[in-house]
Amino acid sequence: MQTHSKVVLITGASSGIGRAAARHLAELGYRVYGTSRGACPDTGGVTMLQMDVTDADAVSAGIQTILAREGRLDVVVNNAGFGYGGAVEETSIDEARATFETNVFGVLRVCRAALPVMRAQGAGIIVNVSSIGGLMGMPFQGLYAASKFAVEGLTETLRMEVKAFGIDVVLLEPGDIRTDFTARRRTTAEAAASDIYREQYARTLDKIAADEQGGADPQVAAKTLARILASRRPRLRYTTGPVYQKLAVFVKRIVPHALFEWVLMQNFAMKR
Ligand SMILES: NC(=O)c1ccc[n+]([C@@H]2O[C@H](COP(=O)([O-])OP(=O)(O)OC[C@H]3O[C@@H](n4cnc5c(N)ncnc54)[C@H](OP(=O)(O)O)[C@@H]3O)[C@@H](O)[C@H]2O)c1
């Protein structure tokens, strides 16, 4: 077994990718702190902290707890996230705001709390968990995709700004991974009540849910994260998950958008 003494914080470590990643890094010898909004027992060598990324005081308290115990913070993995299902037209501003509160401003809060520590250390790495949905729009997940596109922009920028302080900033972009994300997806209130998109939404959501639940094991993403942390010069982007989805990211870059959109709409059983 490799041994490391680096101190890691992973937000949203109570299930799915965050839990698998936290356990995997703990097995590799990292000192791992995971977070959950609720009380969550320590498990698999991971110390769990109660922290809601939508609450700046809770974020700051969580990081202070780690510093008091370890005296340093080497790695932050901004993983906590969720998504609404529903057409863009049927997503309220409150629902959009709630999505951004966790998926974007949550990342920003944790970065703002961790960066002074990493700057003082002259070293650190932040891994922001985006999504393949941060690289391409996906029907009925518009605000989720928008939040992940925002994480992409924030990360590209932050990476340049903190390089001179010895800090790396990286994007981990999972494709479909089998987690509780599917079951936890909320449907927007208007989508649940209206008939406008109902049939198409149901058909597309079935396909999305089936793809997610037939997706890769979270351990695949955990291993990609471990590779990032072992790298001396981590790249900006690491996709992880089913091979055909990683291929889609590449294909999107090289084919005309009309063709890519046609394939995507076929895949999501969308009427034209
Ligand atoms: N599964 C996929 O196919 C997939 C694909 C692409 C990207 N992703 C991304 O991967 C990340 C992890 O998702 P997952 O699939 O592992 O989903 P998951 O099993 O539902 O886990 C989500 C985690 O986020 C935490 N969380 C949610 N809202 C939070 C908040 N406001 N503050 C703090 N923690 C919060 C949850 O913890 P508590 O509820 O205990 O607080 C949970 O531990 C997300 O950012 C997601 O967008 C997933």
Side-chain angles (χ1 to χ4, degrees), residues 11-18 35-38 51-54 79-82 102-103 129-132 144 148 174-181 184 212:
T11 65
S14 62
S15 78
I17 295 171
T35 76
S36 167
R37 285 166 298 178
M51 180 207 279
D52 186 334
V53 298
T54 66
N79 167 75
F82 79 100
T102 295
N103 295 7
V129 179
S130 171
S131 167
I132 282 180
Y144 175 71
K148 295 299 189 179
D176 287 326
I177 310 278
R178 239 173 8 253
T179 68
D180 292 348
F181 188 88
R184 290 190 193 200
E212 286 168 355

Side-chain angles (χ1 to χ4, degrees), residues 90 189-198:
E90 295 183 336
E190 283 177 42
S194 115
D195 285 335
I196 305 171
Y197 297 92
R198 186 183 298 278

Side-chain angles (χ1 to χ4, degrees), residues 82-84 88 99-100 103-104 130-152 181:
F82 79 100
Y84 271 101
V88 170
T99 307
F100 273 65
N103 295 7
V104 184
S130 171
S131 167
I132 282 180
L135 299 168
M136 57 189 77
M138 292 186 300
F140 301 108
Q141 299 191 84
L143 268 298
Y144 175 71
S147 73
K148 295 299 189 179
F149 270 69
V151 169
E152 296 272 330
F181 188 88

Side-chain angles (χ1 to χ4, degrees), residues 19 27-29 45 69 81 83 85 91 93 99-100 102-103 106 136 139 146 153 156 169 173 177-178 183 199 241:
R19 182 171 59 195
E27 276 165 21
L28 291 174
R69 290 190 198 168
T91 303
I93 295 298
T99 307
F100 273 65
T102 295
N103 295 7
M136 57 189 77
E156 282 192 14
V169 190
E173 296 156 332
I177 310 278
R178 239 173 8 253
E199 210 189 305

Side-chain angles (χ1 to χ4, degrees), residues 59 76 78 106-116 126 128 154 158:
V59 169
V76 166
N78 279 306
V107 172
L108 179 59
R109 280 183 198 97
V110 176
C111 287
R112 280 168 51 79
L115 280 166
I126 296 176
N128 290 336
L154 182 147
L158 181 62

Side-chain angles (χ1 to χ4, degrees), residues 221-250:
K223 286 188 174 161
T224 307
L225 175 64
R227 268 205 312 281
I228 295 170
L229 300 187
S231 165
R232 276 165 52 84
R233 286 172 183 267
R235 302 193 303 266
L236 169 63
R237 289 196 163 80
Y238 291 79
T239 50
T240 187
V243 173
Y244 78 95
Q245 293 177 346
K246 295 205 272 188
L247 191 65
V249 171
F250 174 70

